[in-house]
Amino acid sequence: MALWMMRAGRHGEYEDRFLSTERIYLTWGDAIPDDARGFGSRADVVQALRDRWPNASEGKIRNHAGQLWAFLRTMKPDDLIVVPSKKTPELHFGAIRSDAQFDPDAEPDYRHYREVAWLRDVPRSAMDKDLLYSLGAIMTICEISRNDAEARVRRMLQLPVLKTVPAAASQEVPASEDAATSIDYEQLARDEIAALIIRRFKGHGMERLVDAILRAQGYVTYHSPAGADRGVDILAGSGDLGFGSPKICVQVKSEQAPVDHPTFSQLLGTMQAVGADQGLLVSWGGFKSSVEREVPRHFFKVRLWDQKKLLDQLFQHYDQLDEEIRAEIPLRRIWTVVPDDADESE
């Protein structure tokens, strides 16, 4: 048995499709020949990609060929699959339930697929650091094999740990984190910063952080003391005294669980009670789909900040934050080279 990582698009654009259809798709569109299951070897895949991308580097050709071959042949039913979410700070874990399938009538991105039984969503913060590092490989498809990863994930998911039968020797290099040429250091850094924040600002402390970010944006704020706040965690207004518009009512949730619709409805009611123009709902654990569906309807009234958006605001306004907050979240900017040979197909 093996543990595989697969990305649902560079920006998570296929994530909902993966989850709702209980499938993983080889979303490389017309870069893949019709019914690629007919390839007899990885060398055949290399040659087919070389014909399609005559100007691509040999490294890119072999990288993609390894991933394509892994999806078509190396993955097996009952292997575990993990899809890192681009929408929430979570990892979607499942079990592969079929060999590679081909639907000639589907759109190009959805012709090649495997059936999957989704098992559990796990917060990134609940994963060990070495596993997160392996999941940072910038590849669409990658076997995660270091440090007994598959057995550890099975124990975490409370699944039987199966004995691995050694595979026959092969000349073909698998698509694994050892073969990855680049690591998503930005995501790894965000994971570490998120872990630091939840340690130092959990509970009422998260309100303190959001309040500091709003003040760094130029708002005058009122932060309710710890205890019963009647739905008002923070009030923010513009102008020297905070009397200007927009007048914002803020609720902050630091729990790992996603916020549901009653919390969203409570914010709407509180906004009306305090005379706020707009509302801001901050949830470290993200939002359930019942809340996401309300976004278009209340676009001009309410904004949602999940962990990603909160971190984005922290980075954007870090230099304007109070010295006390910066001391609790000591950060330093660094520069790194962006890989010039992106993994995903154009």
Side-chain angles (χ1 to χ4, degrees), residues 110-314:
Y110 307 123
R111 289 176 184 165
H112 294 86
Y113 66 90
R114 284 178 179 262
E115 304 284 355
V116 171
W118 296 112
L119 303 173
R120 182 177 160 193
D121 296 338
V122 177
R124 296 183 69 93
S125 59
M127 300 294 294
D128 291 335
K129 188 174 180 180
D130 62 323
L131 293 179
L132 286 177
Y133 185 87
S134 290
L135 293 173
I138 302 179
M139 299 175 75
T140 300
I141 303 166
C142 176
E143 183 182 358
I144 308 300
S145 56
R146 289 195 196 120
N147 302 326
D148 202 24
E150 188 261 349
R152 290 164 62 191
V153 168
R154 282 187 175 275
R155 284 191 288 268
M156 179 189 68
L157 298 176
Q158 298 182 332
L159 298 173
V161 178
L162 306 178
K163 183 178 291 187
T164 300
V165 178
S170 171
Q171 299 299 316
E172 295 174 348
V173 179
S176 71
E177 77 265 37
D178 292 319
T181 57
S182 300
I183 295 292
D184 188 349
Y185 290 109
E186 180 183 359
Q187 182 60 61
L188 292 175
R190 292 178 78 101
D191 288 338
E192 288 202 25
I193 295 167
L196 175 65
I197 288 174
I198 202 60
R199 286 200 307 269
R200 296 187 176 179
F201 293 91
K202 194 171 183 177
H204 192 69
M206 190 70 69
E207 298 174 19
R208 187 164 61 88
L209 176 59
V210 174
D211 179 69
I213 292 174
L214 290 171
R215 284 187 282 108
Q217 292 177 340
Y219 289 101
V220 176
T221 65
Y222 167 80
H223 180 199
S224 298
D229 53 32
R230 298 182 181 179
V232 179
D233 291 332
I234 303 167
L235 295 174
S238 59
D240 291 341
L241 297 176
F243 294 155
S245 292
K247 301 179 179 69
I248 304 173
C249 179
V250 185
Q251 283 193 15
V252 181
K253 303 296 181 183
S254 66
E255 296 84 0
Q256 293 285 0
V259 159
D260 56 10
H261 194 272
T263 303
F264 184 84
S265 297
Q266 181 189 33
L267 174 62
L268 294 176
T270 305
M271 287 165 52
Q272 186 174 11
V274 300
D277 302 319
Q278 277 93 30
L280 173 62
L281 182 55
V282 182
S283 173
W284 187 256
F287 304 92
K288 291 188 174 180
S289 58
S290 58
V291 177
E292 299 281 4
R293 286 194 295 267
E294 293 289 342
V295 170
R297 183 181 169 197
H298 298 280
F299 180 80
F300 296 108
K301 280 287 186 181
V302 179
R303 286 289 180 268
L304 306 178
W305 284 4
D306 56 13
Q307 182 188 126
K308 180 181 183 302
K309 290 181 180 176
L310 179 60
L311 290 178
D312 288 343
Q313 292 297 320
L314 171 70

